[in-house]
C-alpha cells in the first residue's frame, strides 16, 4: 500500500513560497514527467492519486487538502492581524466609541490557553497596530510553568507610544497561593520587583513619580507614573499591576518625550481601561 507522507510546514515556508521567484527552466524534463505518470498508472488503487477505484477524489485526500487550506487561511489571518490597524478588526469600545476594545482570549497567548493568566481587556486607538512578541519573551517555550515574567501582547501607535502586558508567576513575588496584590506588599515593594519589566533595563526608586491604589469590584490595582530618562521603553512610563490566580499582571504604557507631549491623555485613558 502506498503511503502519503506529509511534511510539517512552517509559516515562514508557507509565505516565502509565493514570493520567491522560480529560476528559469526549473520545470522537470518531459521524460521525467512521463516516467512519473507511468509509475502512477501502475498503481491504480493508490490514494496518493487522490482518487478511488471509481475515479472519485478519496475522502482522505479531501480531508488533508481541507486541513491544509484551513491552516494556510489561519496563518494568513494571523499575519494580517498584526500588520493592519486594530480598528479594522476590533469592536468600538462601549464606553468611548473613539477607541476600540481588545479582549484577550485563549486564542491570543500560550499563557491564556494554559490557564496561567486570566482574561484581560483594555481600549486602544483604532489606528494602532499589534506588534510581534519574540518567542523567547512570549512564554511560549515555558508554559505551563514559567519561572520568569513573560510578555503577553504588545501594541503600538507610531506617533503616540506603545503598550504591553507583562505576566509574572506569583511565586516569584510571594509564597502565598492565590495572593492578592495587597498580600504581596506595598505599591513600592511591587514596583521594585517589576520595575525592570517596565523600563526594559533597570529600575531606580527615584524614577517613581506617583503611586495610587485603585479598587474595581474585588480587584485591587496599583498604578504608577514613572519618569525614566534611561529606560529602553521610553522616558515616560505608566504602569498598572494586579494579582489574580497564580499570576501578577503588569500593564505598561510608554512614550518618548515627543510622543508624550501630544498623547499623554490617550495613554492615561488606555491605562485606566485595563482590567483583569
Amino acid at each position: 500500500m502506498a503511503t502519503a507522507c506529509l511534511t510539517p510546514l512552517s509559516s515562514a515556508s508557507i509565505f516565502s513560497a509565493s514570493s520567491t521567484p522560480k529560476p528559469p527552466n526549473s520545470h522537470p524534463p518531459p521524460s521525467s514527467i512521463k516516467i512519473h505518470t507511468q509509475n502512477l498508472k501502475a498503481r491504480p488503487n493508490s490514494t496518493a492519486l487522490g482518487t478511488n477505484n471509481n475515479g472519485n477524489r478519496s475522502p482522505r485526500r479531501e480531508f488533508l487538502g481541507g486541513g491544509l487550506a484551513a491552516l494556510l487561511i489561519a496563518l494568513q489571518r494571523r499575519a494580517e492581524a498584526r500588520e493592519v490597524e486594530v480598528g479594522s478588526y476590533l469592536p468600538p469600545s462601549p464606553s468611548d466609541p473613539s477607541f476600540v476594545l481588545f479582549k484577550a482570549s485563549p486564542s491570543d497567548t500560550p499563557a491564556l490557553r494554559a490557564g496561567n493568566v486570566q482574561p484581560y481587556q483594555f481600549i486602544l486607538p483604532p489606528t494602532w497596530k499589534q506588534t510581534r512578541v519574540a518567542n523567547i519573551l512570549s512564554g511560549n517555550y515555558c508554559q505551563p510553568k514559567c519561572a520568569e515574567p513573560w510578555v503577553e501582547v504588545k501594541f503600538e501607535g507610531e506617533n503616540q507610544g506603545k503598550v504591553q502586558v507583562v505576566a509574572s508567576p506569583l511565586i516569584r513575588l510571594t509564597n502565598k497561593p492565590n495572593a492578592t496584590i495587597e498580600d504581596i506588599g506595598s505599591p513600592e515593594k511591587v514596583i521594585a520587583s517589576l520595575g525592570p519589566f517596565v523600563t526594559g533595563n533597570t529600575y531606580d526608586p527615584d524614577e517613581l513619580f506617583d503611586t495610587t491604589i485603585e479598587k474595581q469590584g474585588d480587584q485591587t490595582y496599583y498604578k504608577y507614573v514613572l519618569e525614566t530618562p534611561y529606560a529602553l521603553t521610553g522616558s515616560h512610563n505608566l504602569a498598572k499591576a494586579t494579582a489574580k490566580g497564580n499570576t501578577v499582571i503588569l500593564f505598561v504604557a510608554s512614550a518618548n518625550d515627543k510622543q508624550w507631549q501630544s498623547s499623554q491623555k490617550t495613554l492615561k485613558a488606555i491605562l485606566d481601561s485595563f482590567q483583569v
Side-chain angles (χ1 to χ4, degrees), residues 41-218:
K41 287 182 179 179
R43 295 176 294 168
N45 295 326
S46 173
T47 58
L49 288 173
T51 60
N52 54 28
N53 292 336
N54 298 323
N56 299 321
R57 288 178 60 84
S58 68
R60 182 184 180 192
R61 183 58 177 264
E62 290 184 353
F63 173 78
L64 292 174
L68 180 58
L71 174 61
L72 289 170
I73 293 172
L75 291 172
Q76 180 72 17
R77 287 178 177 174
R78 181 177 296 181
E80 290 175 351
R82 295 178 183 273
E83 296 173 357
V84 301
E85 295 179 349
V86 294
S88 66
Y89 61 92
L90 292 180
S93 168
S95 60
D96 187 344
S98 65
F99 290 89
V100 294
L101 180 63
F102 173 76
K103 285 187 174 183
S105 67
S107 63
D108 289 305
T109 74
L112 284 163
R113 288 191 289 275
N116 283 340
V117 173
Q118 299 300 311
Y120 48 85
Q121 66 179 48
F122 51 90
I123 62 174
L124 289 165
T127 56
W128 282 35
K129 298 178 182 180
Q130 186 171 2
T131 58
R132 297 183 182 275
V133 178
N135 189 60
I136 195 171
L137 300 176
S138 69
N140 185 48
Y141 66 94
C142 62
Q143 298 298 334
K145 294 184 178 181
C146 293
E148 293 297 324
W150 65 90
V151 178
E152 281 278 289
V153 292
K154 297 172 69 176
F155 293 87
E156 184 172 358
E158 183 178 356
N159 299 317
Q160 294 180 295
K162 54 192 173 185
V163 300
Q164 63 177 331
V165 177
V166 179
S168 174
L170 188 65
I171 192 66
R172 191 178 183 273
L173 300 176
T174 179
N175 291 323
K176 182 178 179 179
N178 297 312
T180 64
I181 197 79
E182 298 101 324
D183 292 331
I184 297 174
S186 66
E188 290 76 15
K189 179 180 178 181
V190 171
I191 197 62
S193 297
L194 299 178
F197 301 98
V198 174
T199 64
N201 45 13
T202 60
Y203 169 73
D204 187 333
D206 292 337
E207 296 173 333
L208 182 58
F209 183 76
D210 189 34
T211 301
T212 55
I213 299 176
E214 178 183 284
K215 286 274 190 178
Q216 293 183 5
D218 297 332

